[in-house]
Amino acid sequence: MNTEALLRDLRRQLHDGGLRGCLLVRDLHTGDELGIDPDTQLPAASLVKVPLALATAERIRRGELDGATTLEVQPGRIATPGPTGLSRFRHPVRIAIDDLLYLSTCISDGTAADALFDLTPPAQVADILHEFGLRGITVRHTTRELSDTPAERFDAAQAHLALALAIDAGTSGRGHRVPQLDATRASTGSARAWADLLQALWTPSAIHPDVAERVRGLMAHNLLRHRLAPDFSSDATTWSSKTGTLLNLRHEIGVVEHSDGQAFAIAVLTESLVPATTQPGAEALMAQAARRLRDHLRQLY
């Protein structure tokens, strides 16, 4: 199948599966890439925790923060499905900055992320990205603001109502009645911008090597492996990634490293058109589309 036919087929499959998808797969050694709508800006959801980890690790390297410093973190006490770690704790806890980094990045703990955002606010995270020449990602708010959506106002039996609002209340200019889904108010990034960040972390760049290695290590220990990992994990590969989920958004970015030395940055951002919380078929479709792009890129070059 030639490239044009492959992209048409993938667009059709994504549409038939109820997804609008923005994808990019890039060979980190050659720069060759394939994608579908890779420059469309979408709300970042929990993908923003990667820039947060990068900024925190950089400030530790500079001596502005000490990773061993312990902070008292108030419990999230969140009862709705989804949140992890401290977000579900019932009592305050003292925890080191280094361990907050692990919880925020590896299990996507929103309360841990907010404790880090208290130290390095969104605007400062964005400034550090800009220092490294990464300008395609916006960081505008904390995780606390991210999680205050209509889904928290309905009980489990009415979750479909929040999802229906997420699907139907957008505008052609990517505005939205739900602030967290409005591209002008939310933290955002395109598939290309996330691939640029991954490339800066995995290949020589303005990011200090020690900082890049630390963020790569955190992503390698990501525990949420239900989305793209099944198609990129094997005894001959290493899959390092971060997921992002919010209402009808399902994202994942990551790097697959092969035992033969090849490495590919993969960014998959999607919006579901189906008002359902649990969609294993959509998760599998995301992985299959990314895998087909990666396989085609390997064959071409």
Side-chain angles (χ1 to χ4, degrees):
M1 183 179 290
N2 64 35
T3 301
E4 292 76 13
L6 172 66
L7 295 179
R8 283 197 303 271
D9 190 49
L10 289 178
R11 288 179 185 274
R12 179 188 58 77
Q13 288 188 2
L14 290 167
H15 180 269
D16 291 348
L19 292 176
R20 282 194 290 255
C22 302
L23 298 80
L24 189 71
V25 176
R26 178 184 298 165
D27 186 321
L28 289 178
H29 297 312
T30 67
D32 297 318
E33 60 184 34
L34 287 175
I36 295 173
D37 298 331
D39 297 307
T40 299
Q41 291 282 328
L42 286 177
S46 287
L47 296 185
V48 77
K49 292 168 186 171
V50 178
L52 174 61
L54 171 59
T56 303
E58 171 62 14
R59 293 192 66 208
I60 290 172
R61 184 193 70 81
R62 294 175 183 177
E64 298 171 5
L65 298 173
D66 182 347
T69 299
T70 59
L71 307 174
E72 181 167 302
V73 180
Q74 295 302 310
R77 298 195 179 100
I78 296 176
T80 53
T84 61
L86 302 178
S87 298
R88 304 194 78 85
F89 275 32
R90 298 183 179 183
H91 306 286
V93 62
R94 292 200 66 83
I95 189 165
I97 292 173
D98 281 337
D99 296 322
L100 289 169
L101 259 177
Y102 167 77
L103 292 175
S104 172
T105 312
C106 300
I107 69 169
S108 206
D109 182 341
T111 296
D114 280 336
L116 296 176
F117 270 129
D118 287 342
L119 299 172
T120 309
Q124 188 174 4
V125 174
D127 287 343
I128 291 173
L129 286 179
H130 293 165
E131 289 176 26
F132 294 141
L134 300 165
R135 297 186 173 275
I137 297 168
T138 63
V139 185
R140 293 188 172 114
H141 54 69
T142 65
T143 305
R144 191 176 303 112
E145 296 169 82
L146 180 68
S147 62
D148 185 21
T149 72
E152 281 64 52
R153 294 170 175 78
F154 294 105
D155 60 35
Q158 297 177 309
H160 64 283
L161 298 177
L163 292 168
L165 177 63
I167 293 165
D168 296 333
T171 70
S172 59
R174 306 217 66 81
H176 207 286
R177 289 172 60 190
V178 177
Q180 295 87 343
L181 299 179
D182 188 326
T184 66
R185 290 185 282 176
S187 297
T188 61
S190 65
R192 189 181 305 282
W194 291 112
D196 289 344
L197 174 57
L198 294 172
Q199 181 156 7
L201 290 168
W202 259 263
T203 64
S205 72
I207 300 173
H208 191 280
D210 292 345
V211 173
E213 181 180 17
R214 179 147 197 202
V215 178
R216 292 197 305 268
L218 289 166
M219 294 180 69
H221 289 94
N222 176 24
L223 294 181
L224 303 178
R225 305 181 69 81
H226 62 291
R227 195 161 283 166
L228 302 189
D231 275 73
F232 290 102
S233 298
S234 75
D235 289 345
T237 62
T238 300
W239 174 245
S240 307
S241 68
K242 179 72 190 75
T243 59
T245 309
L246 178 70
L247 294 172
N248 67 322
L249 301 180
R250 286 173 173 79
H251 306 330
E252 186 160 0
I253 61 171
V255 170
V256 58
E257 299 172 85
H258 298 273
S259 58
D260 64 3
Q262 285 188 303
F264 296 85
I266 297 169
V268 182
L269 316 180
T270 71
E271 299 171 298
S272 175
L273 304 177
V274 180
T277 301
T278 303
Q279 295 185 49
E283 315 274 5
L285 183 57
M286 291 171 62
Q288 291 162 12
R291 173 71 178 265
R292 289 184 66 189
L293 285 176
R294 193 286 313 268
D295 290 349
H296 191 73
L297 196 60
R298 290 186 89 183
Q299 292 169 1
L300 283 178
Y301 303 102

